[in-house]
Amino acid sequence: MPTSDAQLLTKSATDLAAMIRSGDISAVELIDATLRQIEANSDINAFTLVDADGAREAARAVKPGDARPFAGVPIAIKELNAVAGQPLTMGSDILGDYLAPSDMYTIRRLREAGFILVGRTSAPEFGIVPVTEPRRFGPTRNPWNTDRTPGGSSGGAAAAVAAGMLPLAHGSDGAGSLRIPAACCGLVGHKASRGRISAGPDAGDSPLSTQGALTRTVMESALLLDILSGYELGDATWAPDPEEPFAVTAGKPPRTLRIAFTTETPISGVEVHPEHVRAVEDAAKTLEALGHHVERFTPAIWNMDQLMEAFLALYGSGVGSGVNWAAAVTQRRPSPELVEPLTWAFYQHGARVSGPDLIAAQVGLQGHSRAFLQLFRSFDAFMTPTLAARPIPVGSLNTMTEDGLSEFRKAVAFTPFTAVYNVTGQPAISLPVGQGADGLPLAVQIAGKPLADGELLALAAQVEAALPWSGRLPERLR
């Protein structure tokens, strides 16, 4: 049986907030349980920093009756994002002991909702690869099987939630970095529409990345989106506000939808594990039984091989910008000694991309997105596996190799289905619909129409009701 701490922390964040509000448990007691669970699961190596004193101090200020929606509930922040006064390392040696001068807007919104920040969760260096094994902090392990990866780049966040250390955790998604670890760890990972969540105050609009969370349920993801989304003064672009809160929409049955699905990968030469194929086909039958029109369909434009160079130009330039920023704030010069070889390979690749070539890559990706999105004139949603392979063994991706870009292509073969929606900017969600013969979770990914986060969450909630998963836990929590 789970320990009392684990039983407590596998409850929903909503239930925990209600318990604190009613006085059934104090925020201090909940934070103490969280800290004990983090210590008990130290073998997972999910955290790069635990702020026990700060968390307890914040908890003491939360009293019964606190009206904030998540008052007293613990949460952790992904290593790649700024929390005022805490180390911001990007998982890299290059930043040394640099302290963030201010909170991201995302972090400010979490604080305003009453969440208590207990620490920071690990991520790969600069968030580049879909595993979490930074040289600086060592590998994070999957609570379902510690020989396997929890995914990345929000791998520490997913591992912390899956292991019962937290009810949910903050993360971000630049090429699948919420959905991939959600799939590896049996959680819900929703990537919001582009422009839905501000990247301020320091970061500009990203063509690929957005903030979010790893949760146990679709409703928790919807509630977090309501907290995180919305215009911030100075944002250059933003998504329009929904007609009603996302959690309200998620709580209603969706209309009858036309849903396409495929198990073919968008990258040639990549095979999909049979269990992932089965998971998608079984989910398609479930959706059909729920009354939706479901059709196996692979669009002619699904193949993404020709986009790889444009994507790498944009991705490499982003990594290069991050390395240059890190060097500037620490008054260092970028050098291969300060970052992992794979990061250095991306840095050099980005440096070779000229201004005109970068603009051409952006325009090319936008053009492809417009063509791909024609699919959504005929369909309301598109379902695929989240991963092509089962969660890979720790150490399978070697970020210390000198041939970094070739190693990155191994990462693409593991996760070929996710990055397309960072390019198109549309919402996508990974759902843990089953469990494989290896004991690890099975997941499917569903993408919705541009800006249709509410409809996608309602559909996902309907799938969750038909295929409930919140009680499915790793052996260490049983």
Side-chain angles (χ1 to χ4, degrees):
M1 292 292 293
T3 66
S4 57
D5 288 341
Q7 288 177 322
L8 184 65
L9 288 160
T10 52
K11 293 180 181 291
S12 73
T14 305
D15 287 346
L16 292 172
M19 292 171 65
I20 292 169
R21 196 174 299 115
S22 67
D24 289 343
I25 190 173
S26 72
V28 172
E29 289 172 324
L30 182 56
I31 293 303
D32 283 344
T34 301
L35 295 172
R36 287 192 296 269
Q37 277 295 97
I38 293 171
E39 177 62 27
N41 289 278
S42 60
D43 61 312
I44 300 297
N45 194 31
F47 280 80
T48 62
L49 171 74
V50 177
D51 183 15
D53 292 342
R56 288 192 176 107
E57 181 180 359
R60 285 192 287 270
V62 177
K63 306 300 180 185
D66 194 314
R68 293 175 296 170
F70 292 103
V73 176
I75 197 169
I77 307 303
K78 184 178 177 180
E79 184 63 32
L80 307 185
N81 299 273
V83 177
Q86 289 189 357
L88 178 58
T89 71
M90 308 298 271
S92 178
D93 294 325
I94 192 172
L95 275 150
D97 298 322
Y98 173 74
L99 302 179
S102 61
D103 284 345
M104 286 189 70
Y105 290 152
T106 298
I107 310 309
R108 188 204 72 216
R109 285 176 176 244
L110 291 172
R111 291 188 197 271
E112 289 173 348
F115 281 108
I116 293 177
L117 280 55
V118 297
R120 301 176 66 77
T121 55
S122 192
E125 187 172 81
F126 287 94
I128 297 173
V129 291
V131 298
T132 301
E133 303 171 28
R135 177 177 65 186
R136 178 164 180 170
F137 296 111
T140 299
R141 298 179 180 276
N142 193 323
W144 291 85
N145 180 340
T146 54
D147 292 333
R148 301 283 171 158
T149 182
S153 62
S154 305
V161 177
M165 303 181 221
L166 296 166
L168 46 73
H170 162 269
S172 60
D173 192 315
S177 293
L178 287 166
R179 290 159 288 153
I180 294 163
C184 290
C185 293
L187 304 173
V188 176
H190 171 245
K191 183 199 81 69
S193 294
R194 182 180 295 141
R196 185 71 73 195
I197 301 171
S198 175
D202 299 319
D205 292 345
S206 171
L208 299 176
S209 185
T210 188
Q211 301 281 295
L214 278 305
T215 68
R216 293 189 180 278
T217 69
V218 173
M219 183 55 72
E220 298 283 276
S221 289
L223 290 164
L224 263 290
L225 185 59
D226 281 323
I227 288 169
L228 298 180
S229 66
Y231 171 78
E232 291 278 0
L233 191 65
D235 287 348
T237 59
W238 60 93
D241 291 335
E243 293 182 359
E244 62 184 4
F246 293 110
V248 172
T249 305
K252 300 175 181 178
R255 62 189 175 91
T256 299
L257 302 175
R258 291 200 65 195
I259 302 170
F261 76 95
T262 187
T263 56
E264 296 183 24
T265 69
I267 305 296
S268 61
V270 175
E271 294 186 1
V272 181
H273 192 283
E275 289 198 299
H276 293 303
V277 173
R278 174 175 59 81
V280 170
E281 292 176 343
D282 288 349
K285 293 175 184 175
T286 297
L287 289 166
E288 195 166 43
L290 290 167
H292 300 291
H293 301 296
V294 182
E295 179 180 337
R296 187 187 294 271
F297 181 78
T298 304
I301 200 169
W302 182 228
N303 186 280
M304 306 291 175
D305 290 344
Q306 71 276 18
L307 293 181
M308 186 58 68
E309 289 308 313
F311 181 82
L312 287 176
L314 195 61
Y315 207 65
S317 297
V319 172
S321 174
V323 172
N324 282 335
W325 167 82
V329 298
T330 56
Q331 298 183 330
R332 294 173 165 181
R333 292 180 60 84
S335 73
E337 292 78 24
L338 295 173
V339 296
E340 296 169 12
L342 185 143
T343 301
W344 188 249
F346 266 94
Y347 176 78
Q348 291 180 307
H349 183 79
R352 290 192 293 269
V353 177
S354 69
D357 287 344
L358 180 59
I359 292 173
Q362 291 174 320
V363 170
L365 291 173
Q366 290 169 359
H368 182 88
S369 295
R370 292 188 181 98
F372 176 73
L373 286 168
Q374 299 307 305
L375 169 70
F376 291 85
R377 292 185 182 275
S378 301
F379 295 99
D380 301 298
F382 187 44
M383 181 169 64
T384 68
T386 309
L387 308 172
R390 307 300 290 131
I392 59 179
V394 170
S396 296
L397 285 179
N398 182 13
T399 62
M400 300 304 294
T401 180
E402 298 299 326
D403 190 9
L405 295 185
S406 294
E407 195 71 8
F408 184 76
R409 293 180 188 277
K410 289 168 59 177
V412 173
F414 173 39
T415 62
F417 293 103
T418 53
V420 59
Y421 302 116
N422 298 84
V423 172
T424 64
Q426 65 196 108
I429 192 167
S430 181
L431 303 175
V433 295
Q435 193 167 347
D438 56 7
L440 294 164
L442 286 170
V444 300
Q445 175 182 234
I446 307 176
K449 288 186 172 183
L451 300 175
D453 296 82
E455 184 171 78
L456 177 63
L457 288 163
L459 176 63
Q462 190 180 45
V463 173
E464 181 179 19
L467 302 170
W469 53 70
S470 62
R472 197 183 301 133
L473 300 170
E475 183 67 33
R476 65 175 56 214
L477 293 180
R478 297 178 207 163

